[in-house]
């Protein structure tokens, strides 16, 4: 696998990880007891910290990319292993 492919896979994992990790650790004004700004949505976060999300997404994407590249190199899970409903007839 080329290093550019590894970088592209890492970036994809990073973006997905960042979106998956967005709701964790977020508190609404009702949970904290903070005062709402007029016109603010009830679900708007009080303690949004993009730096923490970026660090968590970086760590998770490094782990996922490493597992992906190792699986590519050693073939632990192949496409045939993901067919859960049994073998196809006639093949």
């Amino acid at each position: 696998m080329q290093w550019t492919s590894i970088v592209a896979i890492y970036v994809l994992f990073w973006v997905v990880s960042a979106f998956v990790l967005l709701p964790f650790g977020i508190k609404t004004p009702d949970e904290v007891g903070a005062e709402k700004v007029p016109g603010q949505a009830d679900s708007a976060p009080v303690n949004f910290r993009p730096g923490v999300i970026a660090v968590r997404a970086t760590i998770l994407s490094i782990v996922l990319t490493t597992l992906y590249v190792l699986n590519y190199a050693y073939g632990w899970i192949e496409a045939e292993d993901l067919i859960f409903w049994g073998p196809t007839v006639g093949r």
Side-chain angles (χ1 to χ4, degrees):
M1 181 180 292
Q2 296 180 2
W3 70 272
T4 53
S5 299
I6 295 172
V7 170
I9 291 167
Y10 169 78
V11 169
L12 289 173
F13 275 135
W14 194 92
V15 170
V16 171
S17 297
F19 277 107
V20 167
L21 294 172
L22 272 175
F24 293 101
I26 299 295
K27 298 200 182 300
T28 62
D30 293 333
E31 294 173 333
V32 176
E35 192 172 318
K36 294 181 189 173
V37 177
Q40 175 180 348
D42 292 335
S43 60
V46 174
N47 62 339
F48 179 64
R49 298 175 308 206
V52 173
I53 293 172
V55 169
R56 290 177 183 169
T58 301
I59 293 169
L60 181 60
S61 59
I62 287 171
V63 170
L64 292 175
T65 303
T66 302
L67 288 172
Y68 184 88
V69 171
L70 288 173
N71 183 56
Y72 180 83
Y74 295 110
W76 296 326
I77 301 173
E78 296 179 349
E80 294 82 25
D81 297 332
L82 300 176
I83 301 173
F84 300 113
W85 54 85
T88 56
V89 178
R91 291 188 187 196

